[in-house]
């Protein structure tokens, strides 16, 4: 199984809402990543977890809060977002990390903030 | 500071042609280089990963080469098909801090 799953596929939320994005992999990978991608741009790294510990935070605003409950799961908690946060949010995993092994990406969550 | 460039930004070719996509980088101190494919509005699919000590990798109709000294990688697609239409991105992992630096991508259209 070389699949990374993400839920939900689409999310529309108001600026006062709290929501969460979920990412799951069952490949035994020990590194997991959150990326943000705007239209026609490459992905921008947000967070990296290695062995369930946050190893990289790319100066992301505190309205984004990552969580890694176990080695298979990665969440991104969202609160008080701005319209400019609308984007495709991608999760990825790799055997070890960060970055030294091939990354496998999920299909993404399309987030719209109204 | 590492810069990754992909030229051309867009490419349209008839079905059946062999084609080459280019990726260049300014700092040769890389750990590896990956080629990805992205369909519109979808996630990324890893196509090939080349370690810095390797010269090329092959998967089916795809062949990726790496020339670290000249700061170049190419992705060769043989016998192109309409299903190959997508945006192709390359990304390098830096030796120093393992950061992933992305190119802007090449949008490929294969005409039936």
């Amino acid at each position: 199984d070389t699949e990374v799953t993400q839920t939900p596929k689409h999310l529309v939320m108001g600026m006062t809402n709290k929501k969460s994005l979920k990412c799951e992999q069952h490949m035994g990978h020990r590194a997991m990543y959150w990326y943000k991608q705007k239209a026609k741009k490459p992905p921008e790294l947000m967070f990296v977890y290695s062995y369930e510990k946050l190893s990289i935070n790319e100066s992301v605003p505190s309205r984004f809060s990552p969580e890694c409950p176990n080695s298979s799961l990665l969440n991104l908690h969202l609160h008080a977002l701005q319209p400019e946060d609308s984007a495709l949010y991608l999760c990825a995993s790799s055997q070890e990390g960060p970055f030294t092994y091939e990354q496998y990406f999920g299909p993404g969550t399309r987030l719209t903030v109204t | 500071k590492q810069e990754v460039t992909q030229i051309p930004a867009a490419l349209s070719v008839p079905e059946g042609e062999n084609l080459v996509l280019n990726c260049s980088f300014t700092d040769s101190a890389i750990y590896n280089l990956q080629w990805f494919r992205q369909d519109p509005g979808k996630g990324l699919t890893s196509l090939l990963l080349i370690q810095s000590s390797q010269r090329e990798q092959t998967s089916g109709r795809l062949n990726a080469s790496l020339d670290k000294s000249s700061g170049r990688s190419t992705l060769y697609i043989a016998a192109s098909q309409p299903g190959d239409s997508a945006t192709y991105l390359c990304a390098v992992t830096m030796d120093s801090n393992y950061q992933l630096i992305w190119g802007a991508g090449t949008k490929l259209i294969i005409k039936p």
Side-chain angles (χ1 to χ4, degrees), chain A residues 37 58 99 102-103 105 107, chain B residues 32 38 43-44 46 98-100:
Chain A
Q37 188 179 27
E58 290 289 297
F99 305 122
E102 187 173 4
Q103 289 189 47
F105 281 79
Chain B
N32 61 39
Q38 187 169 32
L44 290 96
S46 177
Y98 299 116
Q99 283 239 340
L100 201 62

Side-chain angles (χ1 to χ4, degrees), chain B residues 2 4 25 30 32-34 90-94 99-101:
Chain B
Q2 177 74 277
V4 180
F25 46 95
I30 66 169
N32 61 39
L33 183 146
Q34 284 187 257
C90 70
V92 299
T93 302
M94 297 305 297
Q99 283 239 340
L100 201 62
I101 311 295

Side-chain angles (χ1 to χ4, degrees), chain B residues 41-74:
Chain B
K42 307 281 188 188
L44 290 96
T45 302
S46 177
L47 298 173
L48 290 162
L49 179 147
I50 313 178
Q51 300 292 353
S52 62
S53 58
Q54 296 176 319
R55 284 290 205 160
E56 64 179 313
Q57 283 283 354
T58 298
S59 176
R61 294 184 293 110
L62 305 179
N63 175 277
S65 68
L66 175 64
D67 184 341
K68 259 182 59 170
S69 59
S70 67
R72 291 188 62 192
S73 176
T74 59

Side-chain angles (χ1 to χ4, degrees), chain A residues 53-66:
Chain A
K53 290 192 184 334
L54 184 64
S55 65
I56 296 177
N57 176 341
E58 290 289 297
S59 304
V60 178
S62 60
R63 57 186 185 268
F64 295 92
S65 174

Side-chain angles (χ1 to χ4, degrees), chain B residues 72-98:
Chain B
R72 291 188 62 192
S73 176
T74 59
L75 179 68
Y76 175 83
I77 303 177
S80 58
Q81 303 169 357
D84 296 328
S85 298
T87 296
Y88 290 80
L89 296 111
C90 70
V92 299
T93 302
M94 297 305 297
D95 232 350
S96 54
N97 60 8
Y98 299 116

Side-chain angles (χ1 to χ4, degrees), chain A residues 7 15 38 40 42 45 48 55 57 63-64 78 87 92 94 112:
Chain A
T7 54
M15 290 191 283
K38 298 284 247 183
K40 298 187 197 282
L45 182 66
V48 181
S55 65
N57 176 341
R63 57 186 185 268
F64 295 92
L78 314 172
S94 63
T112 303

